[in-house]
Amino acid sequence: MTTTVGYWDIRGMCHAIRLLLEYTDTSYNEKTYSTGDAPDYDQSQWLSEKFKLGLDFPNEKQKPEYLKSLPDKLTVYSQFLGKRSWFAGDKITFADFLVYDILDQNCLFAPGCLDAFPNLKDFMARFEGLPKIAAYMKSSRFLRVPVFLKSAKWTGK
């Protein structure tokens, strides 16, 4: 059975899922939703389905508040990873896909944020160096940006 991934035509929070599907050679189809341009940002494609899915959607934080708390959050990741290659042990797990995406988004949002954390930088390089991930990132299917919709305060561009 082929998995269907439904998401905006952006990277967003679907990135870790796409990475995992590519890494595991899982066959999947994408159902993408588009928004119109400013000033309206017509979201009717998604809104006609969104509230039928029973999902909760979090609010965004303001950048200064987020950046102030970022070093403490990255310290927790760094301490947890320690000298290991992967977050849940000696082998890559789904947790690594999620952590990679979180760290990568933070690197886009605050370039240089990992400079004080060499083990996290090594983790990122190790993950991106996985042959299937590297191939996906070089493909036309890979979406580095936009991370969020056009209507978001920060899209990653």
Side-chain angles (χ1 to χ4, degrees):
M1 182 170 111
T2 300
T3 301
T4 299
V5 175
Y7 200 71
W8 294 106
D9 55 355
I10 61 170
R11 171 183 170 157
M13 291 187 234
C14 192
H15 188 61
I17 294 167
R18 288 183 184 114
L19 289 170
L20 179 65
L21 293 169
E22 292 287 335
Y23 181 77
T24 59
D25 287 326
T26 301
S27 177
Y28 67 101
N29 295 317
E30 287 203 60
K31 180 174 183 182
T32 57
Y33 302 95
S34 297
T35 63
D37 292 325
D40 299 327
Y41 299 114
D42 175 20
Q43 298 179 18
S44 60
Q45 284 185 357
W46 168 238
L47 293 176
S48 65
E49 295 184 31
K50 174 181 179 177
F51 298 106
K52 297 175 187 173
L53 300 175
L55 302 174
D56 186 21
F57 299 91
N59 293 325
E60 296 178 24
K61 293 184 177 185
Q62 297 295 320
K63 186 173 183 175
E65 179 184 339
Y66 185 81
L67 291 177
K68 184 178 176 184
S69 67
L70 186 56
D72 290 338
K73 292 176 183 180
L74 294 175
T75 296
V76 172
Y77 282 99
S78 178
Q79 289 173 344
F80 187 85
L81 179 61
K83 295 182 180 183
R84 294 182 312 214
S85 295
W86 306 109
F87 275 85
D90 295 332
K91 296 181 182 178
I92 192 168
T93 67
F94 185 58
D96 298 299
F97 288 82
L98 297 172
V99 173
Y100 170 82
D101 193 42
I102 290 167
L103 295 177
D104 191 46
Q105 285 188 38
N106 278 295
C107 288
L108 289 169
F109 192 61
C113 68
L114 296 184
D115 288 351
F117 305 98
N119 66 334
L120 296 180
K121 288 176 82 170
D122 290 346
F123 165 79
M124 297 290 287
R126 189 168 31 260
F127 186 91
E128 292 172 357
L130 294 166
K132 290 179 184 177
I133 298 302
Y136 172 60
M137 289 180 157
K138 291 176 185 170
S139 78
S140 62
R141 298 183 320 277
F142 177 66
L143 296 172
R144 179 159 299 281
V145 293
V147 176
F148 299 111
L149 293 175
K150 297 173 190 175
S151 59
K153 292 182 182 185
W154 179 77
T155 63
K157 286 187 174 180

